[in-house]
Structures are given as structure tokens and as C-alpha cells.
Amino acid sequence: MKLIEGGVCAAKGFKANGIHCGIREGKIKKDLTMIFSEVPANAAGVYTTNLVKGAPITVTKKHLENGIAQAVICNSGNANTCNADGIEIAEKMSSLAADALGIRSEDMIVASTGVIGQPLNIAPIAKGMAELVAGLNENGSDDAVAGIMTTDTKPKQIAVEFEIDGVICHIGGIAKGSGMIHPNMATMLVFITTDAALSAELLQKAISGDVQDTFNMLSIDGDTSTNDTCVIMANGMAGNKLIDSEGPAFSEFMKALNTVNVNLCRMMAADGEGATKMLECSVCGAQDIRTAKAVAKSVVCSSLLKAAMFGADANWGRVLCAIGYSGADLDVSRIDVSFRSDAGIVDVCRNGSGIDFSEETAKKVLSRNEIDILVELNSGDASSTAWGCDLTYDYVKINGDYRT
Amino acid sequence: MKLIEGGVCAAKGFKANGIHCGIREGKIKKDLTMIFSEVPANAAGVYTTNLVKGAPITVTKKHLENGIAQAVICNSGNANTCNADGIEIAEKMSSLAADALGIRSEDMIVASTGVIGQPLNIAPIAKGMAELVAGLNENGSDDAVAGIMTTDTKPKQIAVEFEIDGVICHIGGIAKGSGMIHPNMATMLVFITTDAALSAELLQKAISGDVQDTFNMLSIDGDTSTNDTCVIMANGMAGNKLIDSEGPAFSEFMKALNTVNVNLCRMMAADGEGATKMLECSVCGAQDIRTAKAVAKSVVCSSLLKAAMFGADANWGRVLCAIGYSGADLDVSRIDVSFRSDAGIVDVCRNGSGIDFSEETAKKVLSRNEIDILVELNSGDASSTAWGCDLTYDYVKINGDYRT
């Protein structure tokens, strides 16, 4: 398996594009994205568990009931959520895109991201559709990812090449996500494409399983979005034998999928709203996986720890505090904690109590832009990793006046 | 029932004091507090559910097993938590105080607040004890509250006078709490005194019950502290007939206790670390109390909403989002939301969808320093209130470098 260029267009038969159509007045950024497979693809998705759901999710879920999709249409700048006419508008987006592509509206995946509770004007989307479709191309992933960004400061895309039974396959994805990120059973917008052949059923199993260890272990601010959507399309154009049951081929595919998703998670965490540092909490020695996950996620979610990391302050008591309220049943007196970055490692807690360490070394370690928080529970073999970011002045600034 | 002055000294027979003894080098604030009852009092407490517990909590719990206490000793500047010698130091604090007062160490309540994971030096406490005890007086509540403050910017104290069977009784409390506040079964440090006579069993019932509607509905930053402690002492000096069962007298007492605790909650919320605004979320029309509480607390805990309130941005979509991920089972399409302050009221959402409102009016309403977020679920009769504060640059600043 190796990392390659191309994002969602790395897999055979996928084209993409992103344009500016004018969703939000006065904003000139790209705001409309399309991803298209030359042939219908098996498809699967996972969505937010928030009871307040974006209208596009309702439409996409219905369209994916048969496990088949051929294209994605997505706008940024407006979430099309909590609007009385939301579903009607989402269906309209879908049919406009399908008509322009000459495919069935039922084979469209629809998504929206941006402000909640403001009516989405379909006019600029209708106006831009011809240009969007005309510009679809095999190097279009850069434009596609630009079209789904909101407060993101960096595009997030990744692709890998891997082999199944001697056949070269590809899988790639794009993601957006910077604020309102605390996915539960899904994530912000993630679109993944692969040319590997998998049945829709196995594809659903793959994505539902992998998000538990990837996007569901990511938190920027503890707010589970209303529009979290992660969909994957597999068009089979790599030519491998259809994967329709678990086994070595499925395992190879899962490894590739996990690589894509972990990379996208890390990119989202590093680009959290206002973030200056990516935090990765690795928990090991847990008595079971549930404990490991609860502890890892509790640590990266602590506002106090996040602020301390912004200040490069080795305030490890906040790590212990977050472990203590994680809800996990554990023996506090066995916990060891260390901070690590490319500047070194510093041990700060052994057996649940503080140990002497050099504040100077700690400051150096914590002043880097990727910080690992290592937690050893010394109580078993289970481990887990969670991702987050620091809490900064800019997070407050961005969210103090998001709508204007 | 009426509000009166005097804090923890408003009830008969209680004296208090707070001095600077030098817990943290270079800090000249008061850092050692004592509250003393002339006679042994019935006492009860509730404590943090965090598995990582401050050593003083272990000692206090043991001392309160018999339901009797006569004095409180509390330091600020160091939490005496995650220290190998923590319990030994807490016991020492207790016996030094008891010896100076001439009472039994088992009748002492011990508490500490401040940095986690740094050894607590007993020397300054031992040195200051004589001065602390010598200065105990009936107007000492101001000094006592000053001694327990950490990042608090304002003292938090309250007292009320009320009647039980024609006998005038008093109840008063002091509290500290500004960061690491998301109490669960208890709160930060709260010390309450009353001259009403209640059995220890009823006192425990009273405090355990009331915190469910008061301190457990307060969140500054979602971090449940390791040292949350709320204790109450009832010395019976008002002369009412001992309350040892539920009934009208107990109800009167509960009303007075709730008034004290709600006021302390509001003071803590308003003085949340870095806060410029107090947020109060009132949920009504819920199908049951569990739903009302889950919704109210989810709203005041949302980082995104907290930042929007800082910016006086009527981003009500974030209220809906927080309701949606609260875990409560509810019908989103029935939800109404309004924002209210002393500058007026603005309705922003009806039946789960946005409605037209004046951004100018909304800005005016949200620019005040106490904001009510009114949520009507239109699904039943249950209601609940939660308290919090906005998320500001100063929260990040305070917590980016707390230890120095």
C-alpha cells in the first residue's frame, strides 16, 4: 500500500469538480462540488446521530436504500437544516444535478454544509450546474475539496494504492470539517471513492466499522453536527473479483480504508477551528476497548487540557482529571502519562501521581504543532487513539461571529 | 423568606475567617479559610463523581460518617490531588485545625482547591493556624470566601432568613468556582451553614436532592473537577423543633436551601473563567424531567453556542444542534426558541424552523450580561433550568498558562 495523489479522482472512473456559484452573497469562494463515477457504483454511508438532521441527509439516506449511487452534489455556505422547505430543496438539488449528468436522481448523493436555519436559495445552484458538470475531470479533486470547505483553512484529501489478489486498486477521499466536530457514528462531510469491487452490503460493513476507530474518535469542540455524513462509492473499475464476504481481500480493503480515514482525521484535527496544534491521545494497557476509547476521547475533549496545550503548559493534572470523569471504570493508581512530540518525550505522571520533570523540556516538547498524549493504564491489552486540537483565541473569534 | 447579609455567618453560632498563609510562593492573596460552629452540628456532603478524587475528599467523607462536624478548614492554591502523600497531608491539616480549636479532628471538614499534582506543603498552613483561629468572628464570611477563591474574580456568598413553625432560622453559603466546572452529584467548593435543627439523615437528603436541580445543572467548561465538594452544617441554634422527617417544616427548609444554592449557581456561572455573560437556559414543555434537564444542560455546554453568545450572535441553529445531540428523545418539529435579557426578547425559531427576526433587536438583547435562552418543547409539563457562561478569549488565556 502506498500514498498517491489524486484524492477522490485517484480511483479509476471518477471525475470531480468544484466551482463558485454564489450560495452566500459577498463570498467568492468555491461553494458547489460534484463527484461523478463513469458507471453506477455500490455505495454506503453513515450519518449524524443528532436528532436535528440536515435535510440532505434524509434525501441521501433514501437514495442509498438500494446501495447504488453514481454522483455526489454538495454545497457549502448553507447547511439546509432547520428549514421548513429543506427536503424539497435537497430533492431539487439532486434532480438538477441528475438531469445535467443524464442519470437518475435516485443515484445522487446530496449534502450541504454551512449555517443552520437559513433558507437555501436554489437559484445559484441551478445557474451553476451546467458549468459544474462541464468542468468534471480526472484531476478535479483539488477543486472538489475547495467547494466543500467552510471555516477549513486547508484542503483535506488523501489517496492510497493497494493490491487485492494481484489487482491494483485505489481508494481516496476528501473531507471538510473544522468546527462543530464531535462525530457520533459518522463525521462531518467525507466523500470516499474506490475502484475496488465490493458488494453494497460489505461496503456498509466496512464504513460502519471503520468510523468507530477513526471519525468517531475525533473531536474539535464536543458539538455533534447536524449534517455529519460519510459516504463511500465503489465502482469496481479496478477489476478485482467482487468482494462479497469477509476474508483476506476484505481485510486488505479495510487496511486501505483505515489509512485513508486516519489521515483525514488527522488533517481535520490539525485544521480544527482556530487550532495551532493537533492533539493525538494514545491509550494503551486498557482492560477493554471500550475503556480505551472512553479515556482517549475524554482527554482530547477537555477544554481545560486543550487550553493548556495551546499555552504549551504541561498541566498533566488535567489529563488525569479528564480520565477520571470519562465514565470508564479503572484503577487511577496505575496510570502513567507522558507528552511526546518531534522535539522529544517527557514523562509527567507515574502510578497516578506526579513525578519530577524538567519544565524546560516540557515546554519544548509542547511547543511543536503535533502533540501526542500517551496514557498507559497498566491494566490490560486494549488500546485506542483519539484526535483533537488545542483551544485558542481564534476558536472563540471564529465562533463569536460565524454568521456574518 | 428574605435575603440577608452575612454569608456563612448569618446563621447563629457560626464564625469564620480567611487569611494569607503562603500556599503558593509569590502570591499574596488569602489562601486559608476556616468556618466554625460554637456547638457540634449535624452535617452532610456530596462530592465529585470523578474517579480521580482530591485527598481531602477521602478524609472529609470519613469524618462525616457519623453525620457530625464542627468546623471547616480549606486552602486554595493547591488541590492536594494526585499526590502520593495527599491523604497524610489532609489528615495533618485536619488535626492542626482541630488542635487549635480544641475540638476532635474527626469533627473537621477538610477541603483544598487549586493546582492538581503538586505536593502540598503543610508548613505555611501550620504556621498560619493560630492567626486563623484567633481571627474567627461573626462577620468573617467576607474573609472566608476570599480564602477559597482561585481564578474567581468575585466572592460568592448568600444568606436567607426564613421561618419554621414560627421560629426564625437562617441559612447561608459561600462558594468558589470558576473553571473545571461541570459538577456531577456535587460541585466545586460550597460551604453552607444553617442554625435550623435537622437530623443528619434529613440534611443528607436535603443536600443530595437539591444539588440535582442546582449545582449539577451548572457548567462552565464541561470538565468535572476532582475536588467538587458541597457540605452543609446545621447546628440547631435557631431553636426550631428538630426536623427528622419530611413534611411542611422540611419543605420550608428545602425552599430556603434552594434559594441559597440557585443564587450561588448564578454567581458561579456569571464568574466563569473569562466569562462576560451569564447564560441561563430554561426548558419547559418537556415530556419528563430527565428530558428537560438533558436539553437545558446540553445547550449551556455547547462550545459553539457559548462562543456565539460571547459575540452576541443570535446563531440559534446551535441551540437546535445542541438539543439534537443531548441524548433526549424528543420531537424536533415542536421546538420553539427565544433569547431574552433585560433589553427585551426575540423569538428566533418556531416548530423547529427559523422565523424572521430583527438582527438589530437580537444584537441588543444578546449584548447584555445575563442572557436567558428559552426553549419550549411543546410536549408535556416538565421543566428545568441550567446555568453557564460564554466562551471567551480570556477563558483560553486563563487556562493556557494556569500553573504559572
Side-chain angles (χ1 to χ4, degrees), chain B residues 184-203:
Chain B
N184 188 2
M185 305 310 291
T187 180
M188 287 304 286
L189 299 185
V190 180
F191 301 116
I192 306 166
T193 57
T194 180
D195 44 21
L198 282 91
S199 69
E201 192 188 338
L202 262 281
L203 204 57

Side-chain angles (χ1 to χ4, degrees), chain A residues 50 223 302 313 324-325 403, chain B residues 50 223 302 313 324-325 359 403:
Chain A
N50 196 314
D223 284 270
S302 161
D313 179 14
Y325 66 67
R403 296 184 311 152
Chain B
N50 196 315
D223 284 87
S302 160
D313 181 15
Y325 65 66
E359 291 281 353
R403 295 184 310 151

Side-chain angles (χ1 to χ4, degrees), chain B residues 145 149 151-157 175-177 267 270-271 369:
Chain B
V145 71
M149 289 164 68
T151 52
D152 304 63
T153 65
K154 290 177 191 155
K156 297 158 192 86
Q157 56 182 331
K176 71 80 56 180
M267 291 182 214
D271 195 28
N369 58 13

Side-chain angles (χ1 to χ4, degrees), chain A residues 114-129:
Chain A
V115 185
I116 297 172
Q118 291 183 357
L120 173 59
N121 183 2
I122 195 74
I125 296 173
K127 192 153 161 280
M129 197 58 76

Side-chain angles (χ1 to χ4, degrees), chain A residues 50-52 180 223-224 302-304 307-308 311 313 318 320-321 324-325 328 359 393 395-397 399-400 402-403, chain B residues 50-52 180 223-224 302-304 307-308 311 313 318 320-321 324-325 328 359 391 393 395 397 399-400 402-403:
Chain A
N50 196 314
L51 289 182
V52 178
M180 204 178 272
D223 284 270
T224 301
S302 161
S303 293
L304 287 168
D313 179 14
R318 294 178 176 175
L320 268 278
C321 177
Y325 66 67
E359 290 282 353
Y393 300 127
Y395 177 85
V396 177
K397 188 172 180 185
N399 289 300
Y402 175 67
R403 296 184 311 152
Chain B
N50 196 315
L51 289 183
V52 178
M180 202 179 273
D223 284 87
T224 301
S302 160
S303 292
L304 286 167
D313 181 15
R318 293 177 177 174
L320 267 281
C321 178
Y325 65 66
E359 291 281 353
L391 175 62
Y393 299 128
Y395 178 85
K397 189 172 179 184
N399 288 299
Y402 175 66
R403 295 184 310 151

